[in-house]
Amino acid sequence: MTTVPYIKPLQSGRTDAASVVQIGGDWTLPHYAILEPQITELRGRLAPDSNVGWSELGALDTSGAALLLELLGASRLLALTDEAEDLSVSRRALLRSVAQAMLDSREPSVTAKPATWREVLGHIGQSVDIFWQHTVGLLGFLGLVLGSMLAILLRPRRWRMTSLVAHLEQSGLNAVPIVALLTFLVGAVVAFLGATILADFGATLYTVNLVAFSFLREFGVLLSAILIAGRTASAFTAQIGSMKANEEIDAIRTLGLSPIELLVLPRVFALLIALPILTFIAMLSGIIGGAVVCAMALDISPTMYLSILQQGIEARHFWVGIAKAPIFAILIAVIGCMEGFKVTGSAQSVGERTTSSVVQSIFVVILLDALAALFLMEMGW
């Protein structure tokens, strides 16, 4: 039989003795609606040091303990349970648990803020570690691709000619218009800017040498590689990443086939063939762009332009530029395929890895081109 709960003040005035409140009845969930208005009314009038009588308390559950906590406060409730001799062990434990939980939740977690220099050094260390992991992963995947490439070169039956031709069309033939147009415009801009500066020294004729030298050694292969990195490496990552997300690569392995041989090598061979050809087209387009500006703005006829090219530009500049193309092609294809294999299965992961492949490819191409330029200049080549 349940007893209706109540709160009965035994002494309302403040004298030398503290006021006393008697808690009685069953403080349980069914009586929550009865007790809550009384708690709200009494809470503002109850003295902070009021004593509480527990002798008439009936049943008690968590909801009743929460109301007592609201009435008395967590600290006061803990103190009263320590002093109360007419509380059973179980009720005292319940009240203490509720009060202690409230105190713990109110205590803000104090986290010591690390010093700024430690945060900076930590961020630098984390970035270096990530860069090192990327470098090791790239070198490991590059070694795996080169090993697989050497393993099938002498076995024509294992060549994937259909896949090779398809990727060659996609990454090479379809990229010719954009490469030719971009390098033509860049060649025209270089010629115009060079002529503007060289005119102050009366050396306008050397604009031809400037355009030819820059495109044969640097701009032809660099612009082609950057365009392929943004256009083809991203496509490789998206294609392989989608296959990874759809578990098609796991199916390939289940059939006993090698994903490297089936997916990566045709793309690498396609770029090995396409990028040198695109580089040659870029060199021609850039030189033609310079010739157009020279003919229209500098009164240098195409015949004179070709004569200066033949007499003043050595063939070694062409070979320096074209020799970089296979190296860039392997790195761009390997990075694009490697990032595709890193996709975890979501569309967001495909997008992140596609962006990463483009950024890494462009970074590696520009870094190696700069190192090669410094080395070749020091060697006098």
Side-chain angles (χ1 to χ4, degrees), residues 161-368:
M161 296 304 300
T162 304
S163 179
L164 173 62
V165 173
H167 289 300
L168 186 58
E169 179 185 4
Q170 180 186 28
S171 59
L173 183 60
N174 294 342
V176 169
I178 183 66
V179 170
L181 176 61
L182 180 66
T183 50
F184 176 85
L185 296 176
V186 173
V189 171
V190 170
F192 183 78
L193 293 177
T196 303
I197 299 300
L198 293 174
D200 297 337
F201 304 94
T204 308
L205 200 63
Y206 288 99
T207 303
V208 180
N209 301 70
L210 172 64
V211 173
F213 187 83
S214 60
F215 269 88
L216 290 177
R217 292 185 68 99
E218 298 295 335
F219 284 167
V221 64
L222 188 60
L223 292 175
S224 300
I226 290 176
L227 284 173
I228 289 298
R231 182 183 181 278
T232 305
S234 59
F236 288 173
T237 303
Q239 292 165 0
I240 296 179
S242 298
M243 296 180 68
K244 179 73 177 300
N246 295 330
E247 300 182 353
E248 296 177 37
I249 295 179
D250 296 334
I252 291 174
R253 291 194 177 100
T254 303
L255 294 174
L257 301 174
S258 170
I260 300 297
E261 183 178 333
L262 192 66
L263 302 176
V264 178
L265 291 186
R267 290 171 166 83
V268 174
F269 285 131
L271 273 194
L272 273 174
I273 299 172
L275 190 55
I277 297 174
L278 291 174
T279 299
F280 180 73
I281 294 173
M283 292 176 179
L284 289 180
S285 299
I287 292 174
I288 292 173
V292 171
V293 172
C294 289
M296 296 179 62
L298 305 179
D299 294 329
I300 300 176
S301 66
T303 304
M304 183 183 298
Y305 191 91
L306 291 176
S307 176
I308 295 173
L309 283 179
Q310 185 178 3
Q311 296 176 6
I313 305 300
E314 301 178 7
R316 63 184 177 90
H317 301 307
F318 167 78
W319 293 115
V320 166
I322 209 71
K324 300 176 187 177
I327 301 174
F328 292 165
I330 292 177
L331 290 174
I332 291 171
V334 166
I335 291 174
C337 295
M338 181 186 69
E339 291 298 315
F341 281 105
K342 290 182 179 179
V343 171
T344 57
S346 63
Q348 180 180 359
S349 178
V350 174
E352 291 174 352
R353 290 303 172 184
T354 301
T355 304
S356 177
S357 70
V358 174
V359 173
Q360 289 185 51
S361 300
I362 295 176
F363 172 78
V364 170
V365 164
I366 295 177
L367 177 63
L368 289 182

Side-chain angles (χ1 to χ4, degrees), residues 147-168:
S148 302
M149 186 185 300
L150 295 176
I152 71 166
L153 278 178
L154 301 179
R155 300 177 183 178
R157 291 184 179 181
R158 297 175 61 178
W159 295 356
R160 306 281 176 175
M161 296 304 300
T162 304
S163 179
L164 173 62
V165 173
H167 289 300
L168 186 58

